[in-house]
Amino acid sequence: MRIHAISAVLLLCATGLAQAQEPPNLVGVWKGSSLAVGIGSTPYRVPDGPGPTFYEQAQEYTYTFTEQKGARFIGTLAAGKGTETVLGSFQPPYFTGGIFIDDDGHYTFTMRDATTMDLCYDHLYPKSKVVACFTLKKQ
């Protein structure tokens, strides 16, 4: 009986290792539009006034991921006249999401499938705060 229990545990461990996943390939161009809520000016948005603003005009963003090594990746973000560097990583062990940063903010993301990424962005500074969640599609 004890040998069967040990065998079952070893089989479960081996099955788990066999199911280890590789991160999805992000290299390429991803696009999406967001609505945001914020206080203060950002490189992409001008507030309606001094207090919190629900921005009603969607801003289109293009993320170009140029290189990926395992779970880590780098690229650029472009919107309007601005461009920023992005770098990030998938979170192990399933690599279904992770984090990345640009020049002034932080993202968390989840892969819906190989061509769809749901993400949330935020930054928090004394004179500027922004939060936005949106979806990117691989082009």
Side-chain angles (χ1 to χ4, degrees), residues 31-38 45 54-55 57-61 63 100 106-110 112 117-123 130-136:
K31 290 187 177 192
S33 295
S34 80
L35 293 173
V37 60
R45 300 181 190 274
F54 287 95
Y55 298 102
Q57 183 174 347
Q59 174 69 51
E60 184 174 307
Y61 295 94
Y63 296 81
F100 65 97
H106 167 264
Y107 300 80
T108 57
F109 70 94
T110 303
R112 194 182 308 177
M117 177 191 304
D118 296 313
L119 62 113
C120 290
Y121 169 84
D122 69 272
H123 79 237
V130 173
V131 174
C133 293
F134 56 107
T135 300
L136 297 177

Side-chain angles (χ1 to χ4, degrees), residues 55-68:
Y55 298 102
E56 298 300 335
Q57 183 174 347
Q59 174 69 51
E60 184 174 307
Y61 295 94
T62 301
Y63 296 81
T64 304
F65 298 108
T66 54
E67 189 175 356
Q68 183 173 341

Side-chain angles (χ1 to χ4, degrees), residues 11-91:
L11 180 61
L12 285 173
C13 289
T15 302
L17 290 175
Q19 291 179 356
Q21 301 207 1
E22 292 294 319
N25 182 2
L26 293 183
V27 173
V29 176
W30 296 71
K31 290 187 177 192
S33 295
S34 80
L35 293 173
V37 60
I39 297 174
S41 293
T42 75
Y44 306 107
R45 300 181 190 274
V46 177
D48 294 337
T53 299
F54 287 95
Y55 298 102
E56 298 300 335
Q57 183 174 347
Q59 174 69 51
E60 184 174 307
Y61 295 94
T62 301
Y63 296 81
T64 304
F65 298 108
T66 54
E67 189 175 356
Q68 183 173 341
K69 291 186 179 187
R72 302 160 299 152
F73 55 89
I74 58 175
T76 59
L77 153 65
K81 297 177 182 176
T83 302
E84 301 181 50
T85 299
V86 297
L87 54 112
S89 181
F90 281 93
Q91 180 179 0

